[in-house]
Amino acid sequence: MVTKASGAVCGECGGRTYVIERRGDLAHARVCTCSVRCELCDGRGYAYETREETFSAKVGPKRYEVLVPCVCQHRAKQMAHFNEVGLPGVMAHASFENYQPAVPAQGMALNTARNFAYTFNKTGANKGFILSGPVGTGKTHLLGATLKHLVLEVGMQARYVEISLLYATIRRGFQEGKSGGEIIGPLSEVEVLAIDELGKGRGSQFEMETLDELIARRYNAGRTTLFATNYSLEPERRGTRAAAPSGYRTTEDSKTAAREGELLRERVGERIYSRLCEMCSFVELPKETPDQRRMRQELDMRPGPPPGGMRSGR
Ligand SMILES: Nc1ncnc2c1ncn2[C@@H]1O[C@H](COP(=O)(O)OP(=O)(O)O)[C@@H](O)[C@H]1O
Ligand SMILES: [Mg+2]
Ligand SMILES: [Zn+2]
Ligand SMILES: [Zn+2]
């Protein structure tokens, strides 16, 4: 944490040295004005580091100084990585701190995402997560908070894609003579990928093949993938109902759910679904979880002074 000479923490970045703000459609990270000129290296970008090594047993250990990139360079790189994530601008404010669970399942979703982010193993395998639930329940918010932490605090490279935008981009690419693989390639290789709105789309053969290829490539390479979906998980996978005995939901219920086309398994197919089961832990938010967007609109429409509701935590 950076404090000013006065000892006060910067009011703009809270001592983080960077600020995330909306720039056009995307969330953008920049160095905070308090840290534009690095005090550690005086803006040179490099600093001396003292090392000790024994080159010859006769002479014994020797101390020497080397020039190494300063932490500010490291920061700049992480911010450049953040600006490649493609996180929607509306998620610029999203953090774990300003996510408020309204129902217990949201508390579970928050814990799952936060634990994942804070215990991320940079060199080993990491099991991802799938958040399933109705619109406006903060699924994209938690994906955003997770990617932010992984890129800016852990130092990973990550990408965010909304599935129907991805299909559209590939289709447009075809018209420009690009192959689907050119677009899928970087997404299958990035260290962490978040796929939002899984199951959305027309379910065409093109879409299914694209998704299948992307997930298969990431699965085979053991890479971490996170998902959010409006579709329901299988009854036995529902974290929030895990305590209920299996078979608690009658086959009639399952049939109804399937008929309404609301099961993720039906949307993505058996092959992809079974891979997801291996790659991720599941959290499902129940139907009655309140829609934050609608709640906010209702608050906005109320006469009187604007509510002090949501903090914009950076
Ligand atoms: N539990 C929550 N606490 C704080 N903000 C929330 C919460 N749930 C949703 N929001 C906010 O409401 C808006 C809609 O949430 P979003 O993550 O887009 O929902 P979803 O992806 O589930 O449809 C966003 O601005 C998000 O930051
Ligand atoms: Mg969303
Ligand atoms: Zn600052
Ligand atoms: Zn520096």
Side-chain angles (χ1 to χ4, degrees):
M1 179 171 298
V2 168
T3 47
K4 289 182 193 166
S6 62
V9 173
C10 170
E12 200 182 350
C13 68
R16 279 186 199 89
T17 73
Y18 61 87
V19 174
I20 298 171
E21 57 200 4
R22 186 175 177 165
R23 204 174 274 190
D25 288 343
L26 296 177
H28 182 93
R30 64 167 171 85
V31 178
C32 181
T33 43
C34 73
S35 305
V36 169
R37 189 176 177 102
C38 175
E39 286 173 12
L40 293 172
C41 66
D42 212 13
R44 281 188 295 269
Y46 286 86
Y48 284 103
E49 196 179 87
T50 309
R51 299 212 175 138
E52 196 180 277
E53 222 169 308
T54 306
F55 295 104
S56 99
K58 234 197 243 162
V59 183
K62 264 203 130 170
R63 285 177 147 222
Y64 61 100
E65 288 198 318
V66 284
L67 261 184
V68 292
C70 178
V71 283
C72 64
Q73 297 300 302
H74 193 58
R75 256 281 169 252
K77 201 157 117 198
Q78 289 180 340
M79 267 177 282
H81 284 158
F82 181 83
N83 295 334
E84 285 165 7
V85 172
L87 195 66
V90 289
M91 287 298 144
H93 72 286
S95 72
F96 296 126
E97 289 73 33
N98 63 15
Y99 183 84
Q100 294 152 338
V103 296
Q106 279 182 316
M108 252 167 83
L110 171 62
N111 281 339
T112 301
R114 197 172 36 196
N115 285 346
F116 168 85
Y118 279 79
T119 61
F120 192 86
N121 180 352
K122 269 185 99 158
T123 50
N126 293 275
K127 193 166 187 170
F129 60 79
I130 300 188
L131 303 175
S132 147
V135 291
T137 53
K139 301 182 300 296
T140 303
H141 182 119
L142 288 176
L143 288 183
T146 304
L147 296 183
K148 239 186 231 182
H149 184 90
L150 289 185
V151 175
L152 292 169
E153 306 299 334
V154 184
M156 304 303 293
Q157 280 184 265
R159 286 287 299 275
Y160 166 96
V161 286
E162 203 261 78
I163 197 79
S164 47
L165 288 181
L166 172 66
Y167 296 147
T169 309
I170 298 177
R171 264 197 222 99
R172 212 173 329 117
F174 283 156
Q175 284 159 13
E176 292 163 9
K178 282 187 204 151
S179 70
E182 273 177 70
I183 294 158
I184 290 284
L187 293 177
S188 26
E189 276 156 31
V190 69
E191 291 172 321
V192 181
L193 176 68
I195 301 181
D196 205 353
E197 304 282 2
L198 182 65
K200 200 166 136 182
R202 293 183 298 198
S204 65
Q205 194 185 346
F206 158 75
E207 291 181 356
M208 291 308 231
E209 281 171 8
T210 301
L211 187 61
D212 190 68
E213 183 183 342
L214 180 56
I215 292 181
R217 282 169 74 163
R218 295 194 62 84
Y219 173 89
N220 291 335
R223 297 206 173 92
T224 313
T225 316
L226 310 173
F227 301 90
T229 179
N230 291 328
Y231 292 94
S232 271
L233 309 169
E234 289 298 298
E236 69 270 20
R237 284 259 162 211
R238 293 182 174 188
T240 52
R241 306 200 180 164
S246 57
Y248 175 77
R249 214 166 173 237
T250 65
T251 42
E252 230 1 87
D253 281 345
S254 306
K255 268 191 220 147
T256 315
R259 208 164 36 230
E260 286 166 358
E262 63 163 5
L263 286 179
L264 183 63
R265 177 182 231 137
E266 305 284 325
R267 295 293 305 176
V268 300
E270 197 57 49
R271 205 171 116 97
I272 292 176
Y273 192 80
S274 80
R275 290 216 169 112
L276 297 179
C277 294
E278 270 186 63
M279 294 165 89
C280 294
S281 27
F282 286 49
V283 181
E284 179 147 349
L285 303 168
K287 291 225 158 19
E288 55 278 13
T289 313
D291 178 347
Q292 287 282 342
R293 273 185 224 128
R294 211 158 54 195
M295 275 183 15
R296 230 182 290 161
Q297 261 169 20
E298 280 159 15
L299 283 174
D300 287 348
M301 282 186 304
R302 261 188 354 199
M310 206 80 53
R311 271 183 304 129
S312 97
R314 264 188 292 234

